[in-house]
Amino acid sequence: MKKLTALLLSALLVVPFISSCEKDDEGPQMSVLATVLPFWNEVGFAIQMDNGETMYPGKVRVNYKVKDEAQRAIIQFSKINTPIEGFTYNADIYNIVELDTKEIKVAKSSDEKLGSDGIEIVEAFIGGGYLNIEFKVNIDPYAKEQTHVVELVDNQINGEPKFSTHYPLELRFRRAHSLQGEKGQTVSNIACFYLGRYTLDRLNCQGYELKFMGLDNDGKEDPEGTHMQSVKITPAASNL
């Protein structure tokens, strides 16, 4: 998780100076990847960390619109000394950076259009009941349309997957525009996929084999005929 830790630190360093007018405010002291949950308090949400600890948003310095369902996000905060019953921490929330949060897609028909543009996995791990994947893709930063789609697919078009120890899933990317000439600009992002019925216990397996096209295959005429790269994720017992 070294690269993701660096990403969290960079997010902490670039947090907007929301409260610069408060002389005694030193800004957020911590940054963590966690899950924002709808909650019946004044601000409408609470925070669940991947280690099981909970955070109460005692003070919120950012205008945040709560989703109806759980949302993965990078939380930038400092602890407040006043405890709140039922929560591990009381927190001063400086910023909430939402991450793409979705379920694993099941593909059973050849009519389903799967993303076939190049994508490369930088890091992946299980945390909070999600498969959290940092990835790289090529885009044209000057293109008008930027609504790209990243999906984690259980590809059953040719039948249920066969596996021994690691359940196969495919990370697919569909770019909103075509790349002209050069490969475009390589950018990184994080997507979090809710495991639900894909937990290791339910699948009776040791981990996941994540398949992906790779950036070297970007723009190929026949992406489905391209041999996909893969990485195996076998979590430590503490991450389950």
Side-chain angles (χ1 to χ4, degrees), residues 96-142:
I96 300 175
V97 182
E98 289 189 346
L99 302 176
D100 199 4
T101 306
K102 53 182 64 178
E103 295 187 355
I104 296 171
K105 175 181 178 178
V106 181
K108 291 190 175 183
S109 170
S110 57
D111 294 333
E112 297 191 56
K113 293 183 178 180
L114 301 181
S116 57
D117 292 312
I119 186 169
E120 186 170 311
I121 294 177
V122 178
E123 184 176 11
F125 69 97
I126 293 177
Y130 293 81
L131 252 175
N132 307 281
I133 304 176
E134 183 184 355
F135 60 88
K136 295 191 298 186
V137 295
N138 293 325
I139 66 167
D140 179 356
Y142 303 105

Side-chain angles (χ1 to χ4, degrees), residues 206-217:
Q206 297 176 11
Y208 306 95
E209 181 181 10
L210 304 182
K211 300 181 179 181
F212 56 97
M213 287 293 184
L215 294 184
D216 291 340
N217 295 320

Side-chain angles (χ1 to χ4, degrees), residues 39 54 56 82-90:
F39 193 69
T54 53
Y56 185 88
T82 307
I84 298 293
E85 185 178 356
F87 290 84
T88 311
Y89 304 112
N90 188 7

Side-chain angles (χ1 to χ4, degrees), residues 41-88:
N41 54 5
E42 294 83 355
V43 294
F45 69 92
I47 297 165
Q48 176 83 45
M49 291 188 279
D50 291 357
N51 61 2
E53 296 177 337
T54 53
M55 188 186 304
Y56 185 88
K59 185 173 184 179
V60 181
R61 300 171 184 258
V62 62
N63 185 18
Y64 180 68
K65 186 177 181 180
V66 185
K67 299 291 191 298
D68 292 333
E69 299 179 349
Q71 172 68 47
R72 295 289 277 172
I74 296 174
I75 314 294
Q76 297 157 357
F77 69 100
S78 294
K79 293 180 182 179
I80 298 175
N81 292 330
T82 307
I84 298 293
E85 185 178 356
F87 290 84
T88 311

